[in-house]
């Protein structure tokens, strides 16, 4: 019975995501409502817009990858019978986000010969389409998640669920370590990006352009080509963004860890911390961009300038968020084993005397 409900819930996740994807595309195709949708998703992904010159192939490919990937990834947290419903909802939300990013990247890679004329732009086109699709899922993925949990029902929680959930001390340590890893990774990515772009300045134009696209795809940053500038204000703003990412991952990670279980909820824990890294990346980017408000003419103009960097930051979280997730899981498992070893009763070394 549980397997049937899990399969039905996973199918509902993919189906709901499919309906929302097509619905947004249909609305965007109408000029009268396009302005409203642009506020919701300022850069719609390829395959989302039905009549944008990509024909039926782009739409079919995007919805196929989105539906299948969302169902398969969501099946992992939906199988958990010990994690709380809130944890499963956020984990499925993260699964939809990852599925949308995969759909955007796969669609762009397949259709890129019909969209761009320079093969060196393949990396940039795939990355850009993936982060636009991820942004859509970041705002929309909660709907398939709620539908999936509703389809699975309330009667799937194991009797020993409360006893197998992570304790306060373990959750705190795991959240702190995962948050520190996320913040350090955010800073390290910016430093590597700056170094790589400096090295590519001396490379030949054709080769350098191709390598630059690879660097932009693998080391996305949130504030132009060089986040770590020479001015102290730039460095301070980037450090503040890394701190925001750390705080978001710690807070969300701690709350999730308190409702997750090991064993019985490992996938949910990793997916939620992954999702928290994506959210924290967007928040970190927003904080890093605040010092530029005066230079661009106020917060209203900053919002227009921040669209691209925020999308790039979301891409960073989707690309590297699995690292804090796996670190959190590793910390939880190590601490759980130590706690279990200490709790084991010590056997008597002397056999009891037989009763006369």
């Amino acid at each position: 019975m549980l397997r049937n409900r899990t399969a039905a819930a996973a199918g509902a996740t993919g189906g709901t995501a499919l309906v929302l994807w097509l619905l947004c595309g249909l609305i965007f195709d109408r000029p009268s409502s396009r302005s409203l949708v642009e506020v919701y998703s300022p850069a719609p992904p390829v395959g989302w817009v039905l009549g944008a010159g990509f024909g039926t192939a782009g739409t079919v490919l995007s919805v196929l990858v989105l539906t299948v990937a969302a169902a398969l990834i969501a099946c992992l947290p939906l199988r958990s019978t010990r994690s709380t419903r809130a944890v499963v909802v956020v984990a499925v939300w993260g699964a939809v986000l990852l599925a949308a990013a995969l759909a955007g990247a796969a669609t762009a890679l397949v259709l890129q010969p019909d969209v761009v004329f320079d093969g060196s732009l393949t990396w940039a086109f795939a990355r850009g389409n993936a982060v636009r699709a991820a942004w859509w899922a970041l705002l929309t993925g909660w709907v398939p998640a709620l539908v999936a949990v509703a389809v699975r029902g309330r009667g799937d929680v194991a009797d020993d669920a409360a006893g197998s959930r992570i304790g306060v001390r373990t959750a705190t340590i795991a959240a702190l370590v995962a948050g520190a890893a996320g913040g350090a990774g955010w800073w390290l990515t910016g430093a590597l990006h700056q170094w790589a772009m400096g090295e590519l300045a001396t490379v030949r134009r054709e080769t350098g352009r191709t390598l630059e696209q690879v660097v932009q795809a693998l080391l996305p940053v949130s504030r132009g080509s060089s986040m770590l500038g020479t001015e102290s204000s730039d460095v301070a703003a980037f450090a503040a963004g890394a701190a925001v990412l750390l705080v978001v991952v710690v807070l969300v990670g701690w709350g999730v860890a308190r409702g997750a279980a090991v064993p019985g909820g490992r996938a949910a824990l990793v997916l939620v911390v992954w999702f928290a890294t994506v959210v924290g990346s967007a928040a970190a980017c927003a904080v890093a961009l605040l010092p530029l408000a005066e230079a661009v003419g106020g917060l209203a103009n900053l919002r227009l300038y921040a669209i691209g960097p925020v999308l790039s930051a979301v891409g960073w979280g989707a690309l590297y968020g699995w690292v804090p997730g796996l670190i959190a899981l590793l910390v939880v498992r190590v601490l759980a084993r130590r706690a279990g070893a200490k709790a084991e009763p010590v056997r008597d070394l002397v056999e009891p005397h037989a009763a006369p």
Side-chain angles (χ1 to χ4, degrees):
M1 187 65 178
L2 175 59
R3 291 183 178 179
N4 294 336
R5 287 189 176 183
T6 301
T13 303
T16 307
L18 165 64
V19 171
L20 292 174
W21 181 273
L22 294 178
L23 180 62
C24 289
L26 290 172
I27 295 175
F28 189 85
D29 274 345
R30 300 180 59 183
S32 59
S33 57
R34 180 169 296 183
S35 59
L36 296 177
V37 182
E38 286 177 345
V39 175
Y40 177 77
S41 183
V46 174
W48 193 43
V49 185
L50 302 181
F54 307 105
T56 307
T59 303
V60 172
L61 179 61
S62 62
V63 299
L64 181 63
V65 176
L66 174 67
T67 305
V68 175
L72 292 178
I73 300 175
C75 187
L76 298 176
L78 287 170
R79 294 170 57 189
S80 175
T81 59
R82 292 181 170 86
S83 299
T84 62
R85 290 169 60 87
V87 170
V88 176
V89 167
V90 180
V92 176
W93 191 347
V96 175
L97 188 148
L98 296 179
L102 289 174
T107 305
L109 289 174
V110 172
L111 298 180
Q112 68 90 20
D114 300 328
V115 182
V116 295
F117 301 97
D118 188 346
S120 65
L121 295 178
T122 302
W123 282 88
F125 184 52
R127 175 181 60 88
N129 202 55
V131 299
R132 290 195 294 268
W135 175 260
W136 169 84
L138 183 63
L139 301 179
T140 313
W142 58 273
V143 179
L146 290 177
V147 171
V149 173
V151 170
R152 195 186 68 160
R154 291 179 173 271
D156 295 332
V157 179
D159 297 334
D160 59 342
S164 61
R165 287 174 188 159
I166 301 171
V168 176
R169 176 179 174 273
T170 301
T172 302
I173 297 175
L176 289 173
V177 175
W186 178 267
W187 179 274
L188 180 61
T189 299
L192 289 176
H193 184 280
Q194 183 193 30
W195 171 81
M197 297 303 292
E199 292 294 322
L200 290 177
T202 60
V203 182
R204 290 187 310 171
R205 182 177 179 181
E206 295 78 8
T207 305
R209 187 178 183 184
T210 302
L211 293 176
E212 181 180 346
Q213 298 297 336
V214 176
V215 171
Q216 296 285 5
L218 298 180
L219 300 174
V221 293
S222 62
R223 194 174 165 192
S225 60
S226 180
M227 188 64 184
L228 294 176
T230 56
E231 299 181 4
S232 60
S233 60
D234 292 340
V235 179
F238 196 30
V244 170
L245 175 61
L246 185 152
V247 171
V248 171
V249 174
V250 168
L251 292 179
V252 177
W254 185 87
V256 169
R258 291 291 293 122
V262 176
R266 292 187 291 266
L269 177 62
V270 173
L271 282 172
V272 174
V273 176
W274 197 339
F275 179 78
T277 305
V278 175
V279 176
S281 299
C285 175
V287 171
L289 291 172
L290 285 178
L292 300 180
E294 184 177 355
V296 299
L299 292 177
N301 294 333
L302 180 62
R303 176 184 174 276
L304 299 176
Y305 172 81
I307 291 175
V310 168
L311 289 176
S312 179
V314 169
W316 184 92
L319 185 62
Y320 295 113
W322 58 272
V323 177
L326 288 181
I327 289 176
L329 176 61
L330 179 62
V331 172
V332 167
R333 295 191 66 177
V334 169
L335 294 179
R337 287 180 178 178
R338 290 183 178 180
K342 292 180 179 179
E344 289 182 358
V346 179
R347 296 181 179 179
D348 294 332
L349 299 179
V350 180
E351 292 293 336
H353 295 285

